Structures are given as C-alpha cells and as structure tokens.
Amino acid sequence: MTSTRLTPHPPAAAALASPGTAPGWPALLIMLSGTFMVVLDFFIVNVALPSMQGELHSSAATLQMVVAGYGLATAAGLITGGRLGDIFGRRRMFMTGLALFTLASAACGLAPDAGTLVAARVLQGLAGALLQPQVLAMMGLVYTGERRARAFAAYGLTLGLGATLGQLVGGLLIHANLAGLGWRSCFLINVPVGLAALALAPRLLPPLANKAGARLDLAGAALAAAVCTAVVLPLVEGREQGWPLWSLLSLALALPLAVAFALQQRWLGRRGGAPLLAPALLAHRSFVLGLATTLAFYAGNASLYFVLALYMQQGLGLAPLPSGLIFTALAAGFFATSWAAPGLARWLGGAPIARGALLLALGHALQCLNVTLWAGPSTLFWMVPLLLLQGAGLGLVMAPLVSAVLAGLPPQHAGVASGTIATVQQAGNALGVALIGILFYGRLQGATDAHAWGSALGVALLYLCASALLVAGLQAWANRLARSAG
C-alpha cells in the first residue's frame, strides 16, 4: 500500500502568515462560522426529528441515521480533510468544504424522502470533514501565545453554542414555518450563511502555505473510514433489525480493521511515506490520553441532545418551540462556565476539566432521578434548573478541552493533530448516538406513556453519567502525568 502524490498549488502563492501579521477577530469569526455550521447541523436536527418522521414516514433507525450518518461521514473523512489542507492549502480547502457544505444543506432541505435525506446528510458530513480541520489548523498557525489560547477558547465556546443553541434555533425555525418549509428550514438556513462566508473568506483569511511534497494516504483513509463504519452502522441499524448476522460480523471486523490501520500507518511511516497519523504525534502520551478523554466526552455529548429532544416532544408532548426554549437553560449554564473557564483555570491552577466532568455527572444523576420519579409538570419544573447544572458541567469541560489536548505539540503537527481531534469528536458523537439509541429504544419497547419515556431517558442518563465519570478519571490521570513531567 502506498500513498498518492498530489500536485498542490504553488507555495509562492501562499506565503505563511507570520505571528506579527496574525488576522484579527473578523477572520476568526469567518473561521468559526464554518465550525458553527458543522456543529449546529449535527444538533439542530434533534428538535426536528419528530416532524421529519411524521412527514417522511421514517423508522426509528432512519432517524438515528439522520444524526449518526452525518457524524459518521464527518468522522471518517476528517483526518483526510486535514491532510488535504496540508497539500492544497488551508484557506482553499476551507472554502471548498464550505461551498460543498452549503450545496449539501440545500439538498437536505429539498429531500423528497427519508433515503434521500440520509444520503444528503452523509454528503453534508463529508463536506464538514473537509472544512472543519482547517479551522483548528489555521488558528494554530496564525495565532501565538495568549492570542492562540483565546482563539482555542473561542473554538470550544463555538462547539458548545452550536450544540446547545441548535435546539432553540431549530424550534424557532419550525415554529415560524417560513414559506411552509417546516423542518426543512433547519437545513436551508445554511445556504445564505454559507454564501456570505464564502464571499468574505478570500478577503479576510490568510493564504497559508501548503507543505511541499505532501502525499495523501488513500489506503489509510479507506481503512479509517472502514473502521468507523464497521462500528457505528451495525449499532444504529442492528437493534431495529433484530441484530442480523451482518451486524454481528461488522462489529467483529472492527477490531481487525483497526489493527490493520495501525500496522499500515506504522509501515508507511517507516518507508518514509506520509501516514494520516504521524508516529511522532502518537509518541506524545499526553496527546493520546487527551484523545481518549475527547472520545469519552463526545460519546456523551450529542447523545444527550438526541434523547432529550425525543423525550420532550414525543414523551411530554411539547411542540418544537417550547422544547427548544427549555434547552436554553442548558445553553445558559454552558455559556456561563465556558466564559469563565480561563479565570477558573487560573484560580484552580489548571484546566477545570475533571471538576467540570464531575459536575456534569452529578447533573445527569439528578436529572435521572427527576425523569424517573416524577411525570408531568413537576418533571419540567425540576428539569430546567438541572439542565442549567448540566450545561455548567459541559462548559467547564468543552471550552478548555481542545487547548488541553493540543498543549505541548509542535506546530508542524497542527494539521494532522487538529484533524485527529475533530475526527475523535465526531466519532464520539456518532458512537454515542448509536449506543444511547440501543439503550433508549430498548427500554422504551414501543410504549407511549410518559412513565415509559421517563424510564427510557433515565437509562440513557445513567450511560451519560458513566461517560462523564470516565472523562473525570482520564483527565485526572492526564493531570498527574503533566505534574510528573513538570
């Protein structure tokens, strides 16, 4: 297996921006607008799922694929997207991904049936995979010192706001029912935003230099995509189909495929090729541990919004707008703590990730008690303050997490490292939705009463609580490693 050489644009046409010429906040806003769109579209569909199911007559597994298929496609292509940025230039790949994402969003909004919608979501995810790694890489290259720390904090804030505000934005759009579009406006809203960002990007973003002689590892990209698909697809489809033989075989193949990917990457690196995962990058134990923490956190991130949206609309009978408004409590808690995260880090003597994960676990546990012990108005009465607590925990983890994972890495690994982190984020999102779908729908068993929905959500929240505790444990381990290294 060999890597394929591609012809990049001339380096002379893309001089690397020096720290002294780092772009200001308008450029950062353009970068983060791409990230916001990619994250928002993972979460905005949650509040629209019941409306989609009613109009398109889709199954529960199809609903999961609308969410997980997007995350799966993004995860499968992110490392390759980062490498393409190395080859052809960050700004060029950012704009290409943004253009494709805008087109795919239009296709989602115009989809005539559930199958077309899932296919368009997969295309949208692949476009996001091309766009998103360029953002972290550009920020890592053009900002230094305190400005880089603030840029990464803004990136973490954008991830959280895209997730938490997605439910509210979706509810508002569905309630407004602009031109009778209903849930379709959740996708079509990306079109004017994407076109505006495309018009401004050439003027505001610096033309960063590509890496001369960089190669694209096609075999590695195929193996990475195969591993993601082998795990997530059977978890999403298998439960509804009664776990057929193909789903069990697919899960069994996931480990051999992962081993084959690791061996292929090591073999290519020894031959002087350009593997998707640089061996030198994986030699940093703190980075590998940071990836594990990221996977554990995001496996409990998207899945939270997925089951909460279903519970509030189908279990409690709320309309999309009231459901979205309730999510603002989660957004408020997230915004408050993520905004204060730098000050808390200085006060606590380090990133408050472990403490935030413990706070998040507490919020999940209390919310589990709320939805399983009560039903009706009392559930909503306690749900709002508990969502505020859960959001506070999310903000303490998410805002500083990216910066903590990238800390200490050399700049030459910025592209691959950012693509790897984004891959793990999306893989965690897709895996979490698949796993929680098994628990949630397995407990629900087709029941329609409020107590059954509360019991299903309670089981899901126990999973989320375990995920948060794992994040706390992994981060505590990382903190000990950092102290011993210092």
Side-chain angles (χ1 to χ4, degrees), residues 228-316:
C228 292
T229 305
V231 173
V232 175
L233 184 61
L235 290 178
V236 172
E237 296 286 344
R239 181 199 59 82
E240 184 149 307
Q241 297 182 21
W243 299 106
L245 180 61
W246 72 264
S247 64
L248 301 178
L249 290 175
S250 179
L251 288 171
L253 280 173
L255 182 58
L257 285 170
V259 172
F261 174 70
L263 292 175
Q264 185 266 346
Q265 294 292 285
R266 182 178 299 178
W267 174 83
L268 189 59
R270 287 175 177 173
R271 288 176 58 89
L276 291 177
L277 293 177
L281 190 63
L282 297 180
H284 292 266
R285 283 208 307 168
S286 61
F287 179 71
V288 175
L289 190 55
L291 291 181
T293 306
T294 301
L295 180 65
F297 174 71
Y298 281 90
N301 187 41
S303 48
L304 169 64
Y305 304 98
F306 178 73
V307 292
L308 273 179
L310 290 174
Y311 171 75
M312 284 192 283
Q313 291 188 58
Q314 297 186 338
L316 300 181

Side-chain angles (χ1 to χ4, degrees), residues 88-134:
F88 291 109
R90 299 291 169 193
R91 187 177 70 177
R92 177 179 292 186
M93 289 299 99
F94 175 85
M95 293 180 62
T96 302
L98 186 58
L100 293 174
F101 192 88
T102 303
L103 289 173
S105 297
C108 289
L110 300 174
D113 52 59
T116 304
L117 176 59
V118 170
R121 284 284 283 172
V122 170
L123 291 175
Q124 197 183 32
L126 290 172
L130 185 59
L131 181 161
Q132 196 168 353
Q134 318 312 330

Side-chain angles (χ1 to χ4, degrees), residues 23-370:
W25 65 265
L28 183 61
L29 285 179
I30 294 297
M31 296 181 208
L32 295 180
S33 69
T35 295
F36 185 77
M37 287 173 63
V38 173
V39 175
L40 184 75
D41 262 52
F42 193 102
F43 294 95
I44 197 173
V45 299
N46 289 323
V47 76
L49 289 174
S51 302
M52 292 179 191
Q53 188 173 30
E55 181 178 331
L56 302 178
H57 308 290
S58 56
S59 65
T62 302
L63 286 183
Q64 283 182 265
M65 281 305 298
V66 169
V67 180
Y70 175 81
L72 174 61
T74 308
L78 274 165
I79 298 179
T80 303
R83 178 64 70 188
L84 287 171
D86 287 336
I87 295 170
F88 291 109
R90 299 291 169 193
R91 187 177 70 177
R92 177 179 292 186
M93 289 299 99
F94 175 85
M95 293 180 62
T96 302
L98 186 58
L100 293 174
F101 192 88
T102 303
L103 289 173
S105 297
C108 289
L110 300 174
D113 52 59
T116 304
L117 176 59
V118 170
R121 284 284 283 172
V122 170
L123 291 175
Q124 197 183 32
L126 290 172
L130 185 59
L131 181 161
Q132 196 168 353
Q134 318 312 330
V135 176
L136 270 177
M138 285 191 290
M139 289 193 303
L141 289 170
V142 302
Y143 297 111
T144 58
E146 185 63 26
R147 297 188 70 183
R148 177 183 290 180
R150 287 198 297 267
F152 284 150
Y155 177 83
L157 182 62
T158 301
L159 293 179
L161 290 179
T164 54
L165 293 181
Q167 327 297 317
L168 176 60
V169 173
L172 288 171
L173 289 171
I174 295 171
H175 180 76
N177 196 26
L178 301 172
L181 292 171
W183 60 266
R184 298 177 184 276
S185 58
C186 293
F187 299 108
L188 296 176
I189 191 66
N190 290 331
V191 176
V193 176
L195 292 176
L198 280 170
L200 294 172
R203 306 176 188 178
L204 297 176
L205 298 184
L208 299 170
N210 57 286
K211 291 184 179 179
R215 296 169 179 259
L216 180 62
D217 177 17
L218 293 177
L223 283 170
V227 172
C228 292
T229 305
V231 173
V232 175
L233 184 61
L235 290 178
V236 172
E237 296 286 344
R239 181 199 59 82
E240 184 149 307
Q241 297 182 21
W243 299 106
L245 180 61
W246 72 264
S247 64
L248 301 178
L249 290 175
S250 179
L251 288 171
L253 280 173
L255 182 58
L257 285 170
V259 172
F261 174 70
L263 292 175
Q264 185 266 346
Q265 294 292 285
R266 182 178 299 178
W267 174 83
L268 189 59
R270 287 175 177 173
R271 288 176 58 89
L276 291 177
L277 293 177
L281 190 63
L282 297 180
H284 292 266
R285 283 208 307 168
S286 61
F287 179 71
V288 175
L289 190 55
L291 291 181
T293 306
T294 301
L295 180 65
F297 174 71
Y298 281 90
N301 187 41
S303 48
L304 169 64
Y305 304 98
F306 178 73
V307 292
L308 273 179
L310 290 174
Y311 171 75
M312 284 192 283
Q313 291 188 58
Q314 297 186 338
L316 300 181
L318 298 179
L321 181 57
S323 173
L325 286 172
I326 290 175
F327 270 100
T328 57
L330 194 74
F334 172 86
F335 185 80
T337 54
S338 60
W339 192 263
L344 288 173
R346 289 190 294 270
W347 180 55
L348 296 171
I353 296 172
R355 293 174 178 85
L358 290 175
L359 184 65
L360 180 60
L362 175 63
H364 290 329
L366 293 176
Q367 195 72 268
C368 176
L369 291 175
N370 176 42

Side-chain angles (χ1 to χ4, degrees), residues 5 82 99 140 157 173 213 229 241 249 267 286 289 292 302 329 357 390 400 409 411 425-426 453 468 480 483-484:
R5 181 180 293 275
L157 182 62
L173 289 171
T229 305
Q241 297 182 21
L249 290 175
W267 174 83
S286 61
L289 190 55
Q390 290 168 289
L409 288 180
Q425 289 171 343
Q426 292 295 340
W453 281 93
R480 284 197 297 271
R483 286 194 297 267
S484 63

